[in-house]
């Protein structure tokens, strides 16, 4: 008998998080230094730099700096989020690459769809929990420094949600790669291919066109826009600090929903014997 009552089981997700407590600890430490400590140092520098500045100049510059702390202009945090998304997917679905573990999980009285969504939701929480905690700590430091009034709550909330949206999109791509592959190393390579192949292809094509055609005028084409549209990871890394358009957000929500649905269907059809093989499905084998 299998239980199908809900794809969200708090007890099972907590158990999954306990078994992967190392990744929560690692993410918490890295984000503490990358977000909380970095912003605390920035706040201290702001207070020292503008202590004697005139009021109009002081207000404008503090507004700019404070509202840039949790935004899309922090390249280091964006790189961390991309890496975390891939690592989270590989960790959450690592068991499907081990014959012993996959036999154990598939022997539980749970339907395949529920197993998939429990692992998928745990992988999201690996990043979301420490990220939200460190954002909250940053707000506490802002409040203690007396600069909280300069912060735009709406803008900060939008930036946090956009970061989470990109994490979810990149994470979904990596989960799709994990389900397609039967080996952890191949899953890593598969994630890299899905996230970087088309941007790399665009760069190679334009490099060849510039090399072999003297009359080729690359300025007629927006290479950056093409690269952004080819991969959620590159789109995130190249996203403008001022934000992301509504159409792009809707597109990513649809793109992520389709990937999740496709991954769930493939997971259900994925043979347990595929664990340890390079590819999980015959149709994808060379």
């Amino acid at each position: 008998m299998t239980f199908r009552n809900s794809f969200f089981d708090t007890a099972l997700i907590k158990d999954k998080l306990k078994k992967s407590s190392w990744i929560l600890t690692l993410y918490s430490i890295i984000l503490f230094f990358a977000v909380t400590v970095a912003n605390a140092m920035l706040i201290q520098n702001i207070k020292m730099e503008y202590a004697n500045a005139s009021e109009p100049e002081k207000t404008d510059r503090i507004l700019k700096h404070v509202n840039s702390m949790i935004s899309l202009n922090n390249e280091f945090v964006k790189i961390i989020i991309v890496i975390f998304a891939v690592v989270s997917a590989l960790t959450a679905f690592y068991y499907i690459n081990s014959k012993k573990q996959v036999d154990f999980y598939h022997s539980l009285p749970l339907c395949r769809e529920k197993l998939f969504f429990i692992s998928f939701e745990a992988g999201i929480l690996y990043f979301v929990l420490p990220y939200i905690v460190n954002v909250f700590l940053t707000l506490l430091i802002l409040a203690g420094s007396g600069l909280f009034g300069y912060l735009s709550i709406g803008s900060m909330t939008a930036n946090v949600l956009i970061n989470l949206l990109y994490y979810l999109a990149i994470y979904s791509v990596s989960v799709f790669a994990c389900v397609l592959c039967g080996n952890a190393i191949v899953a890593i390579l598969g994630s890299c291919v899905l996230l970087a192949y088309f941007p790399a292809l665009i760069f190679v094509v334009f490099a060849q066109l510039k090399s072999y055609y003297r009359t080729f005028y690359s300025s007629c084409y927006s290479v950056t826009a093409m690269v952004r549209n080819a991969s959620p990871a590159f789109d995130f890394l190249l996203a403008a600090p001022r934000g992301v358009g509504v159409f792009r957000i809707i597109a990513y929500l649809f793109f992520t929903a389709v990937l999740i649905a496709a991954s769930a269907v493939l997971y259900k059809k994925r043979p347990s014997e595929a664990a340890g093989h390079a590819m999980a499905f015959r149709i994808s084998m060379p």
Side-chain angles (χ1 to χ4, degrees):
M1 188 177 90
T2 59
F3 299 117
R4 300 173 178 267
N5 55 339
S6 173
F7 290 149
F8 185 86
D9 191 310
T10 306
L12 292 174
I13 292 173
K14 283 183 178 179
D15 182 65
K16 184 83 173 177
L17 293 175
K18 285 181 181 179
K19 290 180 179 178
S20 303
S21 57
W22 66 271
I23 196 169
L24 281 170
T25 304
L26 178 64
Y27 284 8
S28 297
I29 293 172
I30 294 175
L31 287 172
F32 178 73
F33 286 101
V35 177
T36 306
V37 173
N39 286 331
M41 294 173 64
L42 179 60
I43 290 168
Q44 185 65 27
N45 290 337
I46 290 172
K47 293 184 70 176
M48 293 175 61
E49 184 176 353
Y50 301 113
N52 300 319
S54 59
E55 193 59 33
E57 179 186 9
K58 176 181 177 181
T59 301
D60 291 340
R61 293 191 177 183
I62 291 179
L63 278 170
K64 180 181 177 181
H65 285 298
V66 167
N67 287 286
S68 69
M69 289 193 298
I70 304 174
S71 65
L72 293 174
N73 66 348
N74 192 328
E75 302 298 331
F76 181 62
V77 171
K78 290 200 285 188
I79 293 172
I80 287 176
I81 290 174
V82 172
I83 295 172
F84 281 6
V86 176
V87 174
S88 295
L90 294 168
T91 304
F93 288 88
Y94 178 78
Y95 71 92
I96 65 177
N97 299 319
S98 169
K99 293 182 179 180
K100 290 184 178 180
Q101 290 191 47
V102 80
D103 287 342
F104 168 74
Y105 277 99
H106 288 175
S107 67
L108 296 174
L110 298 169
C111 64
R112 288 282 190 98
E113 296 93 330
K114 187 167 185 175
L115 278 173
F116 171 81
F117 281 104
I118 287 170
S119 298
F120 189 88
E121 291 153 6
I124 294 174
L125 294 176
Y126 289 157
F127 170 74
V128 172
L129 292 178
Y131 180 66
I132 295 300
V133 168
N134 280 282
V135 169
F136 181 71
L137 290 175
T138 299
L139 296 179
L140 290 179
I141 295 171
L142 269 174
S145 66
L147 299 178
F148 189 82
Y150 293 95
L151 180 67
S152 171
I153 299 297
S155 176
M156 183 213 70
T157 304
N159 286 322
V160 169
L161 291 176
I162 288 171
N163 285 340
L164 295 179
L165 175 63
Y166 275 107
Y167 172 84
L168 181 60
I170 299 166
Y171 171 73
S172 299
V173 172
S174 296
V175 168
F176 184 73
C178 289
V179 175
L180 283 177
C181 304
N183 180 285
I185 302 299
V186 180
I188 295 172
L189 296 175
S191 297
C192 293
V193 168
L194 292 177
L195 291 170
Y197 174 77
F198 290 107
L201 180 64
I202 291 170
F203 282 124
V204 169
V205 168
F206 274 86
Q208 295 300 311
L209 289 173
K210 291 177 69 175
S211 298
Y212 291 101
Y213 294 95
R214 293 182 180 180
T215 57
F216 179 73
Y217 189 57
S218 60
S219 298
C220 295
Y221 303 89
S222 179
V223 179
T224 302
M226 294 173 67
V227 169
R228 287 190 62 185
N229 292 330
S231 166
F234 280 80
D235 185 23
F236 186 40
L237 295 173
L238 298 173
R242 63 178 178 273
V244 179
V246 176
F247 177 78
R248 190 172 290 270
I249 292 174
I250 295 172
Y252 270 115
L253 290 173
F254 177 76
F255 168 77
T256 303
V258 170
L259 268 181
I260 294 172
S263 299
V265 171
L266 289 175
Y267 182 87
K268 184 179 179 179
K269 296 181 178 296
R270 191 181 194 272
S272 300
E273 298 79 12
H277 296 172
M279 302 303 296
F281 300 93
R282 286 187 178 182
I283 193 171
S284 60
M285 293 180 181

